[in-house]
Amino acid sequence: MGKSTACLIGAIVILWCCITHVMSDASDHRYSKGDSVPFYANKVGPFHNPSETYRYFDLPFCSPANVEEKKEDLGEVLNGDRLVVAPYKLDFQIDKEPESICKKRLSIKEVAQFRHAVLKDYFYQMYYDDLPIWGFLGKFDSEDKDEPTGVTVHLFTHVHFEILYNKDRIIDVFIRNDPRAVVDLTENREVDVNFIYSAKWIETDTPFEKRLEKYSQTSSLSHNLEIHWFSVINSCVTVLLLTGFLAIILMRVLKNDFVKFTPDEEAVDDQEESGWKYIHGDVFRYPRFKSLFAAALGTGTQLFTLAIFIFMLALVGVFYPYNRGSLFTALVVIYALTSGIAGYYAASFYYMIEGKNWVKILVLTGSLFSGPLFFTFCFLNTVALAYNTTAALPFGTIVVIFLIWTLVTSPLLVLGGIAGKNSQSGFQAPCRTNKYPREIPQLPWYRTTLSQMAMAGFLPFSAIYIELYYIFASVWGHQIYTIYSILFIVFLILLIVTAFVTVALTYFQLATEDHEWWWRSFLCGGSTGLFIYGYCLYYYYERSDMSGFMQTSFFFGYMACICYGFFLMLGTVGFRAALIFVRHIYHSIKCE
């Protein structure tokens, strides 16, 4: 127990160090007039395809002889950021009159590259003093951009920067494109172009502490808040209805328990209706595929712990807008450090239900989620390499992730498994299990596993679907989500609704003398993940403008992994709730 506590304290210390490192990444530079300000160009890509981004100088901009790259951390690389020193020189408080970066003659191939980029709504992203800047490459004057005939394409050649400052700090930066300084790229011919930039410094009284507020204002607008709170109220109403429903069920159970002591005929009739009592000798019979079941519970517990830690970091302000890669860094680090939780819970439950092969259970636990994620990553990274996008991870980053998995995740998984194996806690079933299983009566179609999963997943999904749109628009779009408090409330409601629905369906299953509730409760609890994936189809085709093989494969590939993670996490929540309920009701009867 002492070693386990020491490991836990060590993991918390490491996690806190990572948190402070991430929080310290915020730029807090002070400048004097004429000081050089860090300015990086990041990436370019289609506005509607957030995963399909390319290096800034993949397009034929004016590039220096030696492109200087910024050293990036793990989260930035996972986020697809590839920062290089921008070709602009904007010193602090120094206005810049229109100045030429370079003059060049675009070849026919380069003209075709820029024309394709403009027609696909390419935008570029830069960072000036860690403040994000966006701009479009050009414009076209036809609504049907997929039909090249009759489309006039223009490339912007003059970029104007407006920079707001307060004393010795930079507060904000805007970018403007001069609509008159354009080059016609409609025809396939060589074009002479002069890339120009200018800058204007404007003093403001906005304090430095509020310079990131504008990026989160879209989430906090009054009409958006009303929608978010409507979502919360809708979810709370669902919880109240389910609570009342469960209260009625529990009252009926308790009534039947009292009735069994009353010898009159009416009481006997009521007792015969409660078929769950007749299967007390089978209800705690261990499930089939014990290794897989225990591994699923261990992995689900780890993912639940991961979600709680992520919410804690979000609520204390770690994931402020455009803190590059902080979320990905936190996900990798916390997932690695919580692998011991998966090993402990999987092994302890496995031995609790009389499992023997602890090596098998650890291999299953370690690969149940990370295995599908690994194969999905291999396929999608190959696609990204074929498209030469920044979403393709460099070999060095892959080696770092492999070392984290080898030196941190796997050892902690084994240590947790050993601790769980040695915990030696019995299952403590309130009823003795019969030697031979009781035959399950034939059930109507609406009591089958698939039907129950459909009912179990619909209610929790209905409690979160409004909030899902904003999450998708943030992850797979360009909206900013910062109302983590409301998101945490919705997450808690999701857990409560999942638990209540699973308990209710487990009671109805036992009432029909169907004692195979272990896997059913897990599948019913996790079925919300399937509904979320169904929402992915709706969002992709109806609410977004994403297109192309790469973006489609990234969206559905990684969302499949995320929904699978929700399936394991919510399945664990559903089973744990059902187990508590089943233990409670069978404690209340006399088992022979």
Side-chain angles (χ1 to χ4, degrees):
M1 190 67 180
K3 293 181 179 179
S4 301
T5 305
C7 291
L8 179 60
I9 293 175
I12 293 174
V13 170
I14 295 174
L15 179 61
W16 178 252
C17 291
C18 295
I19 294 171
T20 54
H21 170 72
V22 170
M23 294 187 71
S24 66
D25 285 344
S27 176
D28 190 14
H29 299 150
R30 297 175 182 270
Y31 303 97
S32 300
K33 186 172 183 178
D35 285 351
S36 178
V37 180
F39 195 3
Y40 297 102
N42 188 12
K43 51 192 177 183
V44 296
F47 182 79
H48 299 293
N49 288 356
S51 300
E52 187 184 348
T53 54
Y54 304 89
R55 295 176 182 271
Y56 181 79
F57 288 117
D58 283 350
L59 288 177
F61 291 111
C62 295
S63 60
N66 296 316
V67 177
E68 184 180 349
E69 297 185 354
K70 178 183 179 297
K71 186 178 180 180
E72 297 166 329
D73 59 32
L74 177 62
E76 289 177 319
V77 177
L78 293 176
N79 194 42
D81 294 329
R82 303 292 186 270
L83 278 73
V84 296
V85 175
Y88 308 102
K89 183 175 177 58
L90 301 178
D91 295 332
F92 189 71
Q93 292 188 25
I94 303 297
D95 290 343
K96 182 77 67 174
E97 294 299 324
E99 180 178 315
S100 176
I101 305 174
C102 76
K103 297 179 180 179
K104 64 183 299 187
R105 175 177 287 268
L106 298 179
S107 65
I108 296 177
K109 181 180 178 181
E110 291 173 334
V111 168
Q113 279 185 275
F114 273 126
R115 182 169 60 245
H116 171 79
V118 172
L119 290 174
K120 291 296 183 181
D121 289 323
Y122 271 47
F123 75 104
Y124 55 84
Q125 184 187 52
M126 299 180 178
Y127 285 94
Y128 186 70
D129 192 43
D130 278 343
L131 289 171
I133 317 171
W134 304 271
F136 284 96
L137 298 181
K139 61 181 181 178
F140 54 90
D141 61 1
S142 174
E143 295 183 358
D144 189 4
K145 60 185 177 183
D146 295 324
E147 178 57 48
T149 305
V151 179
T152 303
V153 180
H154 292 99
L155 174 70
F156 295 130
T157 60
H158 183 187
V159 178
H160 177 71
F161 298 94
E162 291 183 0
I163 308 167
L164 277 61
Y165 70 97
N166 186 346
K167 297 180 181 178
D168 56 355
R169 286 174 165 181
I170 297 174
I171 304 301
D172 209 344
V173 57
F174 301 93
I175 195 168
R176 304 276 190 266
N177 292 302
D178 187 349
R180 298 166 298 177
V182 295
V183 171
D184 192 343
L185 303 179
T186 306
E187 299 179 1
N188 284 324
R189 58 182 177 83
E190 294 185 351
V191 175
D192 291 321
V193 59
N194 183 16
F195 289 102
I196 302 171
Y197 77 103
S198 57
K200 177 70 175 177
W201 288 81
I202 304 172
E203 189 170 8
T204 180
D205 57 359
T206 303
F208 177 80
E209 293 74 17
K210 295 184 178 181
R211 75 171 190 163
L212 291 175
E213 281 191 356
K214 75 166 189 176
Y215 301 110
S216 57
Q217 283 177 352
T218 53
S219 298
S220 304
L221 292 176
S222 59
H223 66 279
N224 280 336
L225 281 177
E226 290 176 1
I227 296 174
H228 288 294
W229 282 116
F230 173 77
S231 172
V232 172
I233 294 172
N234 170 66
S235 303
C236 289
V237 170
T238 304
V239 170
L240 290 175
L241 291 175
L242 283 173
T243 304
F245 184 57
L246 275 182
I248 294 173
I249 291 176
L250 291 174
M251 288 174 61
R252 183 171 184 267
V253 171
L254 293 175
K255 176 186 175 184
N256 289 338
D257 290 335
F258 285 123
V259 162
K260 71 175 183 282
F261 296 104
T262 308
D264 58 27
E265 183 177 352
E266 182 182 356
V268 174
D269 292 337
D270 288 341
Q271 188 175 0
E272 289 176 353
E273 292 177 2
S274 55
W276 59 271
K277 294 181 183 179
Y278 295 124
I279 58 173
H280 62 79
D282 296 277
V283 73
F284 294 105
R285 189 180 304 280
Y286 300 142
R288 292 176 292 178
F289 311 110
K290 292 188 289 186
S291 300
L292 180 61
F293 190 76
L297 291 180
T299 306
T301 304
Q302 179 190 8
L303 295 176
F304 175 77
T305 308
L306 171 65
I308 294 299
F309 271 113
I310 291 296
F311 273 114
M312 289 172 57
L313 297 183
L315 291 174
V316 298
V318 173
F319 306 132
Y320 59 85
Y322 299 105
N323 185 5
R324 294 188 304 271
S326 59
L327 177 59
F328 288 101
T329 301
L331 285 172
V332 171
V333 172
I334 298 175
Y335 181 81
L337 295 178
T338 55
S339 60
I341 294 176
Y344 177 83
Y345 278 96
S348 62
F349 188 84
Y350 182 62
Y351 274 84
M352 190 184 299
I353 58 178
E354 301 178 3
K356 302 298 181 185
N357 193 344
W358 73 280
V359 176
K360 177 182 178 182
I361 187 65
L362 289 183
V363 172
L364 267 176
T365 305
S367 59
L368 192 62
F369 179 74
S370 59
L373 180 62
F374 171 75
F375 287 112
T376 302
F377 162 75
C378 288
F379 171 74
L380 295 179
N381 202 58
T382 303
V383 173
L385 284 171
Y387 277 75
N388 195 30
T389 68
T390 61
L393 296 188
F395 178 74
T397 303
I398 297 175
V399 171
V400 169
I401 294 176
F402 176 76
L403 290 177
I404 292 175
W405 183 82
T406 305
L407 302 179
V408 180
T409 304
S410 297
L412 287 178
L413 178 69
V414 174
L415 289 176
I418 294 174
K421 173 178 176 290
N422 296 329
S423 63
Q424 295 294 336
S425 57
F427 185 71
Q428 300 176 352
C431 299
R432 189 179 70 249
T433 301
N434 295 334
K435 185 176 181 180
Y436 299 104
R438 183 187 182 94
E439 183 180 358
I440 299 174
Q442 188 173 1
L443 302 175
W445 66 269
Y446 56 85
R447 290 191 182 277
T448 60
T449 301
L450 291 178
S451 300
Q452 297 281 296
M453 288 176 64
M455 288 186 283
F458 176 75
L459 280 175
F461 175 77
S462 67
I464 65 170
Y465 80 96
I466 295 178
E467 209 66 24
L468 271 183
Y469 169 76
Y470 293 97
I471 300 300
F472 275 60
S474 175
V475 175
W476 299 104
H478 301 282
Q479 291 190 19
I480 302 171
Y481 193 98
T482 57
I483 315 179
Y484 298 117
S485 56
I486 292 181
L487 184 61
F488 184 62
I489 294 173
V490 173
F491 177 72
L492 293 179
I493 292 172
L494 171 65
L495 299 179
I496 294 172
V497 175
T498 299
F500 281 7
V501 170
T502 306
V503 166
L505 292 176
T506 300
Y507 170 77
F508 287 127
Q509 180 184 356
L510 298 178
T512 60
E513 302 181 21
D514 181 358
H515 52 80
E516 295 182 348
W517 62 276
W518 299 66
W519 274 109
R520 178 78 67 84
S521 62
F522 185 91
L523 294 175
C524 287
S527 60
T528 305
L530 302 178
F531 277 81
I532 296 176
Y533 198 68
Y535 181 81
C536 293
L537 295 170
Y538 166 76
Y539 181 85
Y540 182 87
Y541 291 107
E542 298 295 332
R543 304 302 295 270
S544 77
D545 294 316
M546 291 183 282
S547 60
F549 176 74
M550 179 191 164
Q551 182 61 46
T552 302
S553 59
F554 263 69
F555 178 79
F556 287 107
Y558 280 126
M559 283 309 303
C561 293
I562 294 173
C563 293
Y564 176 54
F566 269 92
F567 175 82
L568 294 173
M569 180 184 68
L570 295 177
T572 301
V573 171
F575 169 75
R576 292 291 183 183
L579 179 61
I580 294 172
F581 174 75
V582 172
R583 282 182 182 275
H584 173 74
I585 63 174
Y586 281 96
H587 266 298
S588 64
I589 65 173
K590 293 181 178 180
C591 301
E592 297 179 357

